[in-house]
Amino acid sequence: KLTFRIYTDQALLTRDETKNQPLIQGILFENDYIMIAAKKKSYKSILTMQMACSLSSGTKFLDTFQIHKPQMVWYFATEGKDEDIKDRFIRMSQYVKINPKNIMLICSPGFRFNSKFGVEYTNYLCEHYKDKLPKVIIIDALYMALKGSIKDDEDVNDFTTRVRIFAERCNA
């Protein structure tokens, strides 16, 4: 479902100042779409998991970047074994403050956001967990979450559109 936002009259000249507040100082703002890209096995998952922990608890990210308040985070793990991913969170929680009530871990190897099932399942999640909608959605790993080729503009655009519609539905 494609949605439009239409602004006329005074609404055109008025902005919501709360939308300009950083979720993570200098790194992540509301309605941002960021991507972390690096070589294989360069600890991207560790970085995003630590980000999720800090966001969930409202504590500084990497002991440096201010997070003003705890946020609900949905973490989509699209590769790896569930118990291994949970074990990482358990080990990380010994060093990084985490509020597990503010993180929902969704494990589904090979889950594709821009597939028919992906659209249906994200709609289901939004409805079923409407009282725990995320402020931040983390997708790890991109290449497993995208149906098609990461080198094909049409596939990437379709993926991005589906994720943005999903995030908008969640008000993330």
Side-chain angles (χ1 to χ4, degrees), residues 23-24 27-28 36 43-65 67 71 73 75 85 88-99 103 136 138 140:
L23 300 176
I24 301 176
I27 295 177
L28 179 66
I36 298 171
Y43 303 101
K44 297 178 298 292
S45 294
I46 299 297
L47 182 70
T48 57
M49 290 172 111
Q50 187 164 347
M51 185 181 287
C53 292
S54 295
L55 283 161
S56 77
S57 62
T59 55
K60 285 186 176 180
F61 175 54
L62 303 175
D63 286 330
T64 303
F65 301 98
I67 295 175
Q71 304 291 343
V73 178
Y75 194 103
I85 298 162
R88 279 187 182 172
F89 273 111
I90 291 166
R91 287 182 286 131
M92 191 171 289
S93 71
Q94 296 174 18
Y95 304 98
V96 179
K97 191 170 181 184
I98 179 174
N99 181 348
I103 296 180
V136 176
I138 296 175
D140 181 21

Side-chain angles (χ1 to χ4, degrees), residues 34-127:
I34 63 170
M35 190 177 302
I36 298 171
K39 293 179 183 177
K40 288 181 179 180
K41 304 296 179 192
S42 59
Y43 303 101
K44 297 178 298 292
S45 294
I46 299 297
L47 182 70
T48 57
M49 290 172 111
Q50 187 164 347
M51 185 181 287
C53 292
S54 295
L55 283 161
S56 77
S57 62
T59 55
K60 285 186 176 180
F61 175 54
L62 303 175
D63 286 330
T64 303
F65 301 98
Q66 188 67 42
I67 295 175
H68 294 287
K69 65 180 184 175
Q71 304 291 343
M72 174 55 77
V73 178
W74 285 7
Y75 194 103
F76 286 85
T78 62
E79 65 178 354
K81 298 176 184 170
D82 296 11
E83 293 307 312
D84 291 345
I85 298 162
K86 288 167 53 179
D87 184 59
R88 279 187 182 172
F89 273 111
I90 291 166
R91 287 182 286 131
M92 191 171 289
S93 71
Q94 296 174 18
Y95 304 98
V96 179
K97 191 170 181 184
I98 179 174
N99 181 348
K101 291 182 180 184
N102 282 341
I103 296 180
M104 188 162 77
L105 174 62
I106 301 139
C107 296
S108 182
F111 177 76
R112 312 285 199 221
F113 280 81
N114 58 323
S115 68
K116 183 177 185 238
F117 174 75
V119 172
E120 290 170 0
Y121 191 65
T122 53
N123 287 338
Y124 165 81
L125 288 172
C126 287
E127 185 59 36

